[in-house]
Amino acid sequence: MTPDLATTYLGLPLRTPLVVGAAAPLSDDLAQLQALERAGAAAIVLHSLFEEQIEQEQLDLHHRLGQGAESYGEALTYVPEPSLFHGGEDLYLRQLEQARKHLAVPLIASLNGTTPGRWVESARRIEAAGASALELNIYAIPTDPELSSAAIEAGVEEIVRQVRAEVGLPLAVKLSPFFTNLSAMAKRLAAAGADGLVLFNRFYQPDIDIETLELRPNLLLSTPHDLRLPLRWIALLHGRHRLDLAASGGVHRGTDVVRLLMAGASVTQVVGALLRHGPERLAGLEEELATWLMEHEVASVAELIGCMSQRRCPNPAEYERAQYMRAIAGYRPAEARQAPGPW
């Protein structure tokens, strides 16, 4: 019998747990979005609209509207046509509206910001443009030595509260793993109005060009090894808070999807595999997932979700310190020397 791959995320019924994560090369025009839908995407997270884009757009508009303000009546002609300063938020909203007209799959908008502020008001316009849900991509690297961890956490919580006050959309928060107590942070975000968490935000580290003495971007796509961190935390958080969990990072094979569902993920976000192999890789992942379920006589994805979370696995301590001790005790230098690697 064909297994049932359906799942639910942020209250949205999805055909499979395969969601396209936020990435501009995958979702910056309608043709690419349609290709992802044809390939089997259950939902698509649009590329992020950044806080800086919104604030720059507001500054540009203020500057343009102020031109000629001290002039005579003819100064009305100084006011630019709206088309002259479309871009940033306006362009994002137009793309969302167009995609909503042509695609049937849920479209999840993405706002990327670091601090509470006027940019969160954009959530209201995103809702009006037809988004099915909203993902808050909290991407910040604190460097101020006077900024405490408590203040950082309070800032993230306040962003969620402000956005929840603006919209009724289902709301997910994409976090980094760098919190003192991620479980406590999850609890606070649920109380602030979040419906789900995306684990984790992947920081792109710059490199140094030793010839030009310049910093340069260095985009390294994920590998299956990267899913270990989200797998562990999804397993630790599953069932502890009223939050849906999405896994992000390292999903390249159908068995990767199986592991993350067992840990407690409702969906898995796919980006790196699609950048490497194109939208058609989605069909391969779906086939591999269905094959695994049939071979193991599992009737549905719902049966898998959370079956190996900390609350349901035979030895819950293995998600904390026990596995560390076992790994150290079982280490064999000879095996490590034979292991494949770039060295």
Side-chain angles (χ1 to χ4, degrees):
M1 185 176 69
T2 302
D4 181 4
L5 303 185
T7 187
T8 301
Y9 175 57
L10 303 178
L12 303 171
L14 303 182
R15 190 179 61 82
T16 78
L18 299 173
V19 172
V20 177
L26 293 174
S27 60
D28 57 0
D29 67 37
L30 180 59
Q32 289 169 330
L33 294 171
Q34 290 174 318
L36 291 167
E37 182 179 52
R38 287 194 300 271
I44 300 172
V45 183
L46 302 179
H47 66 275
S48 289
L49 176 62
F50 287 81
E51 173 182 353
E52 292 85 349
Q53 288 177 280
I54 298 168
E55 292 181 346
Q56 184 59 51
E57 189 173 68
Q58 292 169 343
L59 288 172
D60 289 347
L61 175 59
H62 178 77
H63 173 72
R64 290 172 183 270
L65 292 178
Q67 290 179 345
E70 301 301 322
S71 303
Y72 295 102
E74 292 85 349
L76 290 175
T77 61
Y78 285 93
V79 179
E81 293 295 323
S83 60
L84 295 178
F85 47 83
H86 274 177
E89 182 180 20
D90 287 338
L91 177 60
Y92 189 89
L93 294 168
R94 289 205 307 274
Q95 290 174 332
L96 172 57
E97 289 172 347
Q98 184 184 37
R100 184 69 287 157
K101 291 176 182 177
H102 292 89
L103 277 75
V105 296
L107 297 174
I108 302 174
S110 175
L111 275 175
N112 188 310
T114 61
T115 56
R118 287 183 58 195
W119 66 275
V120 300
E121 298 169 7
S122 300
R124 219 175 6 183
R125 299 185 67 192
I126 285 173
E127 182 175 35
S132 306
L134 177 61
E135 181 177 290
L136 291 179
N137 192 335
I138 310 295
Y139 186 108
I141 303 176
T143 58
D144 183 352
E146 304 301 322
L147 187 63
S148 69
S149 59
I152 294 168
E153 293 170 2
V156 173
E157 185 179 2
E158 183 58 23
I159 289 174
V160 175
R161 288 191 187 282
Q162 288 187 13
V163 173
R164 173 47 72 214
E166 295 289 336
V167 299
L169 285 173
L171 184 62
V173 185
K174 191 171 187 179
L175 293 174
S176 82
F178 305 121
F179 288 91
T180 303
N181 185 342
L182 189 62
S183 184
M185 192 72 232
K187 181 179 179 180
R188 291 172 64 175
L189 294 178
D195 300 295
L197 297 180
V198 183
L199 306 179
F200 286 107
N201 205 328
R202 192 161 175 262
F203 292 119
Y204 293 103
Q205 315 293 356
D207 199 358
I208 294 176
D209 188 318
I210 61 175
E211 301 300 332
T212 64
L213 303 184
E214 295 176 334
L215 287 179
R216 64 184 182 191
N218 184 26
L219 177 59
L220 298 175
L221 298 180
S222 69
T223 72
H225 297 291
D226 293 314
L227 65 79
R228 299 289 182 85
L229 184 61
L231 183 148
R232 183 185 201 184
W233 272 107
I234 286 169
L236 290 169
L237 293 175
H238 176 72
R240 298 187 182 278
H241 311 290
R242 297 186 65 179
L243 292 166
D244 286 341
L245 301 173
S248 176
V251 178
H252 290 260
R253 306 166 300 203
T255 49
D256 298 331
V257 179
V258 171
R259 289 185 182 91
L260 291 163
L261 293 172
M262 285 181 168
S266 297
V267 297
T268 60
Q269 293 193 358
V270 187
V271 174
L274 304 183
L275 292 174
R276 280 194 175 96
H277 305 294
E280 59 272 15
R281 182 61 188 131
L282 282 167
L285 288 170
E286 183 175 333
E287 182 180 355
E288 291 166 18
L289 173 60
T291 298
W292 190 95
L293 291 170
M294 286 188 289
E295 289 177 348
H296 293 79
E297 299 182 348
V298 180
S300 68
V301 157
E303 289 183 29
L304 279 187
I305 295 176
C307 71
M308 285 297 294
S309 66
Q310 187 186 41
R311 298 185 72 183
R312 294 174 62 183
C313 75
N315 185 3
E318 291 190 344
Y319 279 113
E320 297 177 13
R321 290 176 58 86
Q323 283 289 354
Y324 174 79
M325 293 183 286
R326 286 175 58 185
I328 295 299
Y331 174 76
R332 298 291 182 270
E335 295 175 5
R337 284 194 290 270
Q338 296 171 5
W343 38 85

